[in-house]
Amino acid sequence: MTISSRAALAALVSLFLAGPALAQSAAPAAKSDTAAPADTKMGKQRSPESMECSKEADAKGLKGKERKKFRRECIKDAKKSAADKPKS
């Protein structure tokens, strides 16, 4: 191997090794305290009705479309019954 081919090989290897080091981004910003720990993936808090209906769907072993339909009706009924209750 000649000196020029060794130099070219060394330059090529250094490019491959330096690439990931140069591509690293800055450290992510620290999370602010404004986000509540109860937040879900979507960033919204779930209502008590939603959580209760999910527990009922889990107990019944519902999955997929059946679960979605059950929860939709359950939440609708729960909110309707809450609105019908007289406030004290």
Side-chain angles (χ1 to χ4, degrees):
M1 235 178 180
T2 64
I3 293 177
S4 62
S5 61
R6 286 183 184 178
L9 182 62
L12 186 62
V13 169
S14 66
L15 285 175
F16 283 119
L17 295 176
L22 295 174
Q24 291 179 354
S25 62
K31 283 194 161 200
S32 65
D33 291 337
T34 58
D39 285 351
T40 61
K41 295 178 199 175
M42 300 287 290
K44 295 181 182 178
Q45 287 186 329
R46 295 175 57 193
S47 68
E49 295 90 359
S50 174
M51 293 175 68
E52 186 62 35
C53 291
S54 288
K55 288 178 185 176
E56 288 180 34
D58 287 341
K60 291 183 177 189
L62 297 176
K63 296 190 189 279
K65 290 182 181 179
E66 295 86 17
R67 179 185 177 90
K68 190 173 183 177
K69 182 178 179 183
F70 172 80
R71 287 191 71 247
R72 183 175 43 243
E73 292 296 320
C74 178
I75 292 170
K76 186 169 111 177
D77 293 342
K79 287 185 178 182
K80 183 179 178 184
S81 67
D84 290 344
K85 283 184 181 180
K87 293 184 180 181
S88 4

